Amino acid sequence: MFYREAGDFKTSYVEDGQTFPIRLDRWGYYAIVFIAFAAIPFLINDYWANAVFVPFLIYSIAALGLNVLTGYAGQVSLGTGGFMAVGAFACYKLMTAFPEINIVFHIIVSGGITAAVGMLFGLPSLRIKGFYLAVATLAAQFFLVWLFNKVPWFYNYSASGQITAPERTVFGVAVTGPHTEAWAKYMVCLVFVFVLAWMVRNMTRGTLGRKWMAIRDMDIAAEIIGVSPLPAKLTAFGVSSFLVGIAGALFFAVYLGAAEVGEAFGPQKSFLVLFMIIIGGLGSVFGSFAGAAFMVLLPVLLKNLLVGGLGWPTDLATHFEIMLVGALIIVFLIAEPHGIAQLWRLAKEKLRLWPFPH
Amino acid sequence: MSDTFFFAVEVAINGLMAGVMYALVALGFVLIFKASGVFNYAQGVMALFAALTLVGIQSGQIPFAHVINATFGTHLSSFGWNVPSLLAILLTMGVMVLFAILVERLVLKHLVNQEPIILFMATIGLAFFLEGLGDLMWGSEIKKLDVGLPQGISGTIENVTHEWFGYGFFIDRLDIIAAMVATVLVIALTAYSRYTKQGRALRAVADDHQAALSVGISLRFIWVLVWSIAGFVALVAGIMWGTKSGVQFSLSLIALKALPVLMLGGFTSIPGAIVGGLIIGVGEKLFEFFVGPMVGGATENWFAYVLALVFLVFRPQGLFGEKIIERV
């Protein structure tokens, strides 16, 4: 009753093929976009930006990226942290080498550089499958982090080995550096999320996405019906790494401001993003957002509850959080292997009929 | 012969010993993978958890003391007794068996017939759970583990080799013990799976789940059994690593290195785990010795993974793995 498609008639192919064919979905989407662009920037403060919105948006991009690779193309990757590091360091080098160019271009180019690196590490995927590939991507994770740690050129020979984002502006407003206002950080990330999510959504429902899904479901069968695995897998790695690289660049430049590679982009980060897409839903754009929101909000909630409410020390709360995340993953895999996205789908089915059972 | 050569040989021998340690963890992976087709990512954390539990029981720590203190404002820390090593090891083994039963009851049973990758991710969840649980139960500070194993540089070997070659080899006694334990463990496991009734059942399950079920082998019992054995192997690995470098979180990261070991050796082969471990151990130590100084050191972090990656491109099933046959 509350969610329905009745009376929603299509009279042209364009209408039929749109991203949100159901009117209610479309309105919901417009409403969310409107709130995100026109309401939140005026209400946001530093705490909400740094604790919730900015990490949520950045992790959404990373989760989208990994979802392209793992959810759509079926190639499990544990190297997300390493690829985020590539994006961050590429962005840092570009920012310091070409200070006169707008940072938005730097971030996009860092995505491109990460895509190239990702495709390089994706090459073995043509021979290696499944777990073997998952472990092989760990090679990217450890090697890249080591590389950025050991080669001083990457961090401009700074004494601490850290990279620090200098102040850069977009339309005269500072978006990186210590003087950035909360809404500026938020808007930069939001624009990237909006454009990239739109891009991914349209890619995955076109030829490219169908090729990826064919490869995911069974690569040999896909090959037989004429999907060439080389371009399909490499584009998946490329697009995925592009997104992850942009997430890494934003994570360093806009969110952290200064980063130490082992700490910010270690293997833990890879697992975090992987968990996001498992909990959110593999092979779903909505799932990437849901998973990112879940994994960003959970620690904030737990911290408020345990440290603020029960007075636990923070380290205990952290351990409890790790334990809870592990348990939740198992529960999700058992109860709903397709994640929050599937729960949402089921909820919509229920809402269609509710409160009348038939 | 020159000192550099001897030094390289010494590095290689130490690499072999480190390889044995990797192999110990890899062994647990192989056992579970063969019997249930589950790629158990949590094996490393199981070793950490076993070592933590062992230290906790040995020193009479109260489990969850920190949590109880934080919630109720008490100041509990220990029961005030010390449990002898052997008894503590037995009790820890009991905990690991309990863990195996719980894993089967709560996780595996519900995930039968899911895709392997889902099971793999479930074990990642398990690893996180166990990591948090271990820290909550026993505290996260670095602990010293001592069950009476000899430690330190072996004087005898140094003297003997000094007489023979004019160069004394430094070899940790603990490493020698670890090598012997690993050998015994492999022989015992091979014998167990070859000559006992459960062992035969184990191999039957590894061959074909459905066929095994149809001749009356209880899959659930086999899973509990094999996770218990893996828990035992994890305990042994935990004792060795814990004695060597203290019981701490990095233990589970070292265990992550068992993954490339497995890829080299093949997921389904026990000898493969050993040989893979030795190759990785020697390879990374020699690489660090010869190439490390040129590129800034700490190559041990990634060498194993990259070696496995390059190797797999040429032989996707590993050294001893079964040939992968795919059908549509």
Side-chain angles (χ1 to χ4, degrees):
Chain A
M1 184 175 174
F2 291 101
Y3 177 81
R4 53 185 186 171
E5 59 263 54
D8 207 354
F9 302 116
K10 306 285 185 300
T11 49
S12 71
Y13 283 117
V14 179
E15 270 180 32
D16 201 35
Q18 58 193 337
T19 314
F20 294 102
I22 297 171
R23 197 180 294 140
L24 207 60
D25 282 345
R26 204 159 51 236
W27 287 348
Y29 168 71
Y30 290 146
I32 288 171
V33 169
F34 179 78
I35 293 171
F37 274 98
I40 294 178
F42 296 104
L43 302 172
I44 200 165
N45 60 21
D46 265 342
Y47 175 75
W48 279 92
N50 284 330
V52 178
F53 281 107
V54 174
F56 160 65
L57 291 172
I58 293 173
Y59 279 124
S60 299
I61 303 180
L64 268 176
L66 189 61
N67 223 338
V68 165
L69 189 62
T70 305
Y72 285 101
Q75 315 292 312
V76 182
S77 165
L78 297 175
T80 320
F83 294 131
M84 279 176 84
V86 175
F89 276 79
C91 187
Y92 174 68
K93 286 305 284 186
L94 289 169
M95 276 165 91
T96 47
F98 307 103
E100 66 281 1
I101 296 175
N102 195 311
I103 183 168
V104 172
F105 296 107
H106 290 154
I107 293 176
I108 295 172
V109 173
S110 340
I113 293 171
T114 317
V117 176
M119 279 159 97
L120 187 70
F121 277 97
L123 278 176
S125 72
L126 298 167
R127 292 274 293 170
I128 314 171
K129 283 165 196 164
F131 309 127
Y132 286 93
L133 181 67
V135 180
T137 51
L138 270 179
Q141 170 71 55
F142 285 100
F143 179 74
L144 290 170
V145 167
W146 173 86
L147 189 71
F148 294 130
N149 226 342
K150 288 292 170 196
V151 182
W153 181 79
F154 286 113
Y155 48 85
N156 280 358
Y157 305 94
S158 80
S160 60
Q162 270 200 341
I163 51 173
T164 313
E167 184 167 312
R168 292 287 179 270
T169 56
V170 178
F171 302 127
V173 179
V175 293
T176 63
H179 305 296
T180 317
E181 299 206 34
W183 69 269
K185 287 184 182 182
Y186 169 81
M187 277 311 279
V188 172
C189 297
L190 183 67
V191 169
F192 271 104
V193 168
F194 181 74
V195 174
L196 292 172
W198 178 80
M199 190 183 95
V200 169
R201 175 71 192 140
N202 282 301
M203 246 181 216
T204 50
R205 61 199 202 112
T207 321
L208 198 56
R210 278 156 207 236
K211 280 184 182 168
W212 291 340
M213 284 184 262
I215 292 282
R216 169 192 68 189
D217 291 342
M218 176 153 241
D219 52 354
I220 294 181
E223 213 174 330
I224 290 166
I225 60 168
V227 177
S228 178
L230 176 74
K233 283 182 179 174
L234 284 189
T235 46
F237 267 97
V239 171
S240 159
S241 309
F242 178 75
L243 292 163
V244 170
I246 285 184
L250 287 173
F251 192 71
F252 150 69
V254 177
Y255 180 55
L256 289 181
E260 202 275 316
V261 61
E263 212 174 284
F265 302 109
Q268 296 296 333
K269 194 113 303 172
S270 304
F271 286 116
L272 182 69
V273 180
L274 185 67
F275 288 164
M276 282 175 189
I277 64 167
I278 298 173
I279 289 187
L282 291 168
S284 152
V285 172
F286 170 76
S288 313
F289 285 99
F294 189 85
M295 294 300 282
V296 168
L297 284 177
L298 182 73
V300 177
L301 281 180
L302 275 180
K303 202 173 168 193
N304 282 336
L305 191 72
L306 294 176
V307 181
L310 292 175
W312 282 21
T314 33
D315 62 323
L316 275 187
T318 320
H319 297 149
F320 186 75
E321 180 200 321
I322 296 176
M323 194 173 126
L324 196 69
V325 167
L328 273 174
I329 300 233
I330 299 174
V331 168
F332 258 101
L333 286 174
I334 291 171
E336 189 48 82
H338 302 288
I340 297 175
Q342 180 68 14
L343 288 179
W344 175 237
R345 257 170 247 143
L346 291 176
K348 284 201 289 195
E349 281 298 302
K350 289 272 190 300
L351 277 177
R352 244 177 100 196
L353 297 176
W354 193 84
F356 309 112
H358 297 292
Chain B
M1 270 179 269
S2 71
D3 268 7
T4 341
F5 172 75
F6 279 122
F7 193 49
V9 173
E10 184 182 283
V11 168
I13 293 177
N14 278 320
L16 276 179
M17 297 300 179
V20 169
M21 294 287 213
Y22 295 142
L24 268 180
V25 182
L27 209 56
F29 279 101
V30 171
L31 282 171
I32 292 187
F33 188 77
K34 275 188 82 149
S36 55
V38 177
F39 187 87
N40 180 25
Y41 179 82
Q43 185 68 30
V45 189
M46 273 164 73
L48 172 67
F49 183 75
L52 274 176
T53 312
L54 181 59
V55 176
I57 292 178
Q58 233 186 349
S59 57
Q61 250 184 310
I62 297 178
F64 298 111
H66 294 282
V67 183
I68 298 170
N69 290 346
T71 326
F72 302 108
T74 48
H75 293 285
L76 304 169
S77 64
S78 82
F79 293 118
W81 64 60
N82 277 326
V83 181
S85 297
L86 199 62
L87 185 62
I89 291 177
L90 284 177
L91 283 174
T92 312
M93 196 50 227
V95 173
M96 295 316 281
V97 172
L98 188 71
F99 171 70
I101 295 172
L102 285 178
V103 165
E104 198 277 331
R105 279 282 149 77
L106 300 177
V107 184
L108 288 179
K109 196 180 87 177
H110 303 283
L111 288 172
V112 176
N113 260 340
Q114 290 282 9
E115 285 170 51
I117 207 76
I118 300 274
L119 285 160
F120 170 59
M121 291 183 187
T123 62
I124 298 184
L126 201 62
F128 269 65
F129 179 79
L130 210 54
E131 189 191 315
L133 182 71
D135 284 346
L136 277 187
M137 246 171 119
W138 307 110
S140 55
E141 68 277 6
I142 299 174
K143 297 182 185 62
K144 235 176 95 63
L145 177 64
D146 186 9
V147 289
L149 290 174
Q151 271 175 293
I153 303 303
S154 164
T156 341
I157 291 185
E158 198 195 338
N159 291 336
V160 169
T161 49
H162 194 76
E163 273 175 34
W164 286 357
F165 309 110
Y167 180 92
F169 285 98
F170 283 114
I171 292 169
D172 199 324
R173 273 184 295 179
L174 181 68
D175 286 338
I176 301 172
I177 301 278
M180 289 195 286
V181 169
T183 321
V184 171
L185 207 59
V186 170
I187 294 173
L189 282 173
T190 318
Y192 178 76
S193 71
R194 198 155 288 273
Y195 299 114
T196 62
K197 193 178 159 198
Q198 288 91 1
R200 271 202 296 277
L202 215 85
R203 281 188 293 148
V205 171
D207 251 9
D208 191 325
H209 285 194
Q210 278 188 341
L213 264 177
S214 68
V215 294
I217 296 167
S218 161
L219 261 188
R220 296 186 53 186
F221 170 72
I222 291 296
W223 282 352
V224 172
L225 181 72
V226 82
W227 277 76
S228 307
I229 298 176
F232 172 66
V233 176
L235 175 61
V236 174
I239 292 175
M240 294 301 166
W241 278 114
T243 316
K244 195 178 166 121
S245 50
V247 181
Q248 50 176 320
F249 175 69
S250 67
L251 205 65
S252 65
L253 281 186
I254 299 169
L256 211 60
K257 254 197 207 142
L259 296 175
V261 167
L262 283 171
M263 293 167 65
L264 266 183
F267 284 143
T268 48
S269 159
I270 290 179
I274 304 293
V275 175
L278 296 181
I279 293 177
I280 296 267
V282 175
E284 71 176 18
K285 287 278 176 344
L286 283 181
F287 189 78
E288 177 70 31
F289 178 65
F290 286 115
V291 186
M294 282 181 253
V295 292
T299 53
E300 282 165 336
N301 283 340
W302 55 267
F303 176 76
Y305 299 95
V306 175
L307 180 70
L309 178 67
V310 172
F311 184 81
L312 278 190
V313 171
F314 296 103
R315 203 178 152 80
Q317 71 271 33
L319 272 175
F320 298 93
E322 288 152 17
K323 184 140 183 58
I324 303 165
I325 301 167
E326 283 185 276
R327 295 186 180 86
V328 174

